[in-house]
Amino acid sequence: MTKRIRKKWEAESVTIIAFVVLMTGLLVMLLPFLWMVLTSFKTYGETVQIPIVWFPKKYTLENYEYVLNNMNFLLYYKNSIIMVVGVIAGQLMVCSLSGYAFARIPFRFKNQLFLFLMAVLMVPGQMTVIARYLLIYNLKLSDTYAGLILPLIPSIFGTFLLRQFFMGIPGDLEEAAKIDGCNYWGIYTRIMLPLAKGGLVTLAIFTFNATWNDLMWPLIITNTERYRVLSVAVAAIKGAYDTKNNLLMAAGVMVTIPCVAVFAVGQKQFIEGVATTGIKG
């Protein structure tokens, strides 16, 4: 009886320790976001005050009003949404087709080509920026929505992710469809895509996060305010000699809200997709 109580106490102790460690990590992760939200309601004087003021004396929405009215933030929002929707739609189509081909369709040098793509994945994206810019410039697509979207559609990571997901689908379903006279396109559209919903949502969330926060490519390819996106607008708030942190944090909150909303809506499929990807290789 004593041994059973001791084991139970040890198990409970491990649970309590794990809970304390996780809660500590959660607080550490949430602290910067809390600071950002609180600072967005402060006056400029409170942001530079020493000692640090955590909570504003009076909560004000003037920072949000200034960002929306004086910085053309709604235009940046529209451009970011157009860019994100275009990239996600393109990636889901291209990556699902290529992932299905690598997972299910036999063709010559398939494994060698896939290994080559995995090797390219190790090349930093910054090394291809000049080539991408020259290509878009020569096509006369700079400072356009097409110039923002098209270079970001090809994704080796997305191809790999969906390939692993398609390989985890039982092959019996595909064989049954072939017996019924279904071709590769029919199998892809009627069987594979519906069963790969978790993988598609996972890729969409990854793509949304990467595209929404991308600064370098929109900054390089856009020359006028007409096609500038949110990340560029937030970066412009930070001055060379002085930065109004209250405005910067208000803009940061407005940029962060869509990311949190997208993850909250698709978190179930996202977690399932990450957990099940890579079961078969």
Side-chain angles (χ1 to χ4, degrees), residues 57-75:
K57 294 180 181 179
K58 182 181 179 181
Y59 289 84
T60 176
L61 295 176
E62 292 180 357
N63 299 324
Y64 292 95
E65 293 176 358
Y66 182 89
V67 169
L68 286 173
N69 297 329
N70 297 352
M71 299 187 64
N72 214 2
F73 231 62
L74 293 179
L75 173 63

Side-chain angles (χ1 to χ4, degrees), residues 7-256:
K7 288 183 178 180
K8 183 179 179 181
W9 183 83
E10 290 176 353
E12 292 179 351
S13 299
V14 171
T15 303
I16 293 173
I17 293 173
F19 177 78
V20 171
V21 171
L22 290 174
M23 288 303 298
T24 303
L26 176 64
L27 292 175
V28 171
M29 293 292 293
L30 289 179
L31 192 61
F33 294 99
L34 177 62
W35 173 261
M36 178 177 66
V37 173
L38 292 175
T39 304
S40 69
F41 293 106
K42 297 177 185 177
T43 61
Y44 175 70
E46 290 175 323
T47 63
V48 297
Q49 186 174 333
I50 298 177
I52 294 175
V53 176
W54 272 90
F55 297 93
K57 294 180 181 179
K58 182 181 179 181
Y59 289 84
T60 176
L61 295 176
E62 292 180 357
N63 299 324
Y64 292 95
E65 293 176 358
Y66 182 89
V67 169
L68 286 173
N69 297 329
N70 297 352
M71 299 187 64
N72 214 2
F73 231 62
L74 293 179
L75 173 63
Y76 298 136
Y77 247 109
K78 184 192 77 170
N79 292 338
S80 292
I81 292 173
I82 292 174
M83 177 182 173
V84 166
V85 171
V87 173
I88 290 177
Q91 277 201 16
L92 290 181
M93 181 180 67
V94 173
C95 294
S96 61
L97 286 169
S98 58
Y100 172 65
F102 279 114
R104 297 293 189 177
I105 300 177
F107 58 89
R108 292 185 64 184
F109 306 115
K110 180 174 74 171
N111 294 332
Q112 292 82 350
L113 180 59
F114 186 73
L115 288 176
F116 175 76
L117 291 178
M118 292 297 99
V120 175
L121 187 61
M122 294 185 288
V123 177
Q126 292 82 351
M127 294 184 64
T128 62
V129 169
I130 296 178
R132 283 190 292 168
Y133 175 78
L134 291 176
L135 177 63
I136 295 300
Y137 179 79
N138 291 329
L139 292 174
K140 302 185 184 305
L141 295 177
S142 58
D143 206 30
T144 64
Y145 289 126
L148 282 170
I149 295 171
L150 292 179
L152 301 180
I153 288 179
S155 173
I156 299 175
F157 169 76
T159 300
F160 168 76
L161 181 72
L162 293 182
R163 170 188 177 269
Q164 298 302 105
F165 216 94
F166 286 134
M167 292 185 71
I169 297 175
D172 295 341
L173 297 175
E174 187 176 14
E175 294 299 327
K178 289 180 179 179
I179 293 174
D180 290 338
C182 203
N183 56 20
Y184 282 120
W185 178 253
I187 295 172
Y188 164 76
T189 56
R190 299 179 183 180
I191 297 176
M192 293 298 174
L193 284 183
L195 292 178
K197 180 182 177 181
L200 295 173
V201 173
T202 301
L203 178 59
I205 293 177
F206 273 123
T207 304
F208 177 90
N209 185 62
T211 308
W212 187 264
N213 296 316
D214 188 16
L215 171 63
M216 184 171 62
W217 180 248
L219 184 62
I220 292 172
I221 205 63
T222 56
N223 304 318
T224 62
E225 189 178 88
R226 181 180 178 183
Y227 296 102
R228 288 283 167 87
V229 296
L230 284 173
S231 56
V232 178
V234 173
I237 297 176
K238 189 174 182 179
Y241 303 102
D242 183 31
T243 300
K244 294 189 179 297
N245 290 322
N246 52 331
L247 300 180
L248 183 62
M249 294 299 107
V253 171
M254 296 174 63
V255 172
T256 304

